[in-house]
Amino acid sequence: MKKKYAMAYIVDRCVDCKACMVACKAEWEVPEDKFRTHIDTGVSPDYTDTMRMHFLPHQCNHCDDAPCVTVCPTKASYKREDGIVSVNQKICVGCKYCIVSCPYDARFFNHELGVAEKCTFCLPRIAEGLAPACVTTCPGNVRVFGDINDPNSEISALLRDAATNHYKVWKLRQDLGTRPNIYYIQK
Ligand code: SF4
Ligand code: SF4
């Protein structure tokens, strides 16, 4: 079966230390006022019983039906076979359509390079068999990355464990039909 990369956040563990943001910026030389990943503060979606505040990591959701890919006039934004949504900066003309169309506010314009930019799950690191920089750096092991089509991967085991133990599992704005691939898990 083809690989399908995804990420899960165990939100109870995040303490907003921002080590992931620092690691990402260093890995990708992200401009000072921009982010490929950041930490939001929000409530889990169980408003009816125990409303709990969480620090919620945020990045590109590598949507299966990605508006950024649909609107890109040059096909610079594209979905890879392994599920990662990436940007071919060589053919990006900087029109910013993708930035406007992303419902997750996951992209930004790199003024220095004149292109759209966002999280790619650290593609070069994956090619070397490494996890994304944010995953490796997080001291709380909040972020779990891997191939959800591989039953032996850490993320598959985590999602099975979540189902067995009835943890709360959600994705962002599923009502939009974008089919995101970032899982939020509250134990
Ligand atoms: S989160 Fe935004 S940038 Fe990422 S794939 Fe979805 S629409 Fe595209
Ligand atoms: S800014 Fe680049 S990647 Fe985004 S829609 Fe325009 S050409 Fe495509």
Side-chain angles (χ1 to χ4, degrees), residues 140-183:
N141 296 320
V142 172
R143 295 165 178 257
V144 177
F145 170 80
D147 176 9
I148 49 171
N149 282 345
D150 174 3
N152 297 317
S153 68
E154 189 183 355
I155 190 167
S156 293
L158 173 64
L159 293 172
R160 271 197 308 275
D161 192 39
T164 305
N165 292 294
H166 305 289
Y167 299 152
K168 288 189 174 64
V169 180
W170 71 97
K171 298 179 184 179
L172 298 181
R173 296 299 314 266
Q174 292 205 79
D175 55 310
L176 298 174
T178 50
R179 294 188 288 142
N181 287 294
I182 300 284
Y183 296 81

Side-chain angles (χ1 to χ4, degrees), residues 1-8 59-64 79-85 119-132 144-150 153-156 159 171 179-183:
M1 190 183 287
K2 276 192 298 191
K3 285 182 191 296
K4 185 172 184 188
Y5 288 118
M7 193 178 286
Q59 66 191 75
C60 172
N61 282 248
H62 297 277
C63 309
D64 284 342
K79 178 91 172 162
R80 290 167 41 110
E81 288 270 295
D82 58 12
I84 295 174
V85 173
C119 160
T120 60
F121 279 155
C122 285
L123 271 171
R125 290 177 62 93
I126 296 172
E128 289 177 24
L130 300 170
V144 177
F145 170 80
D147 176 9
I148 49 171
N149 282 345
D150 174 3
S153 68
E154 189 183 355
I155 190 167
S156 293
L159 293 172
K171 298 179 184 179
R179 294 188 288 142
N181 287 294
I182 300 284
Y183 296 81

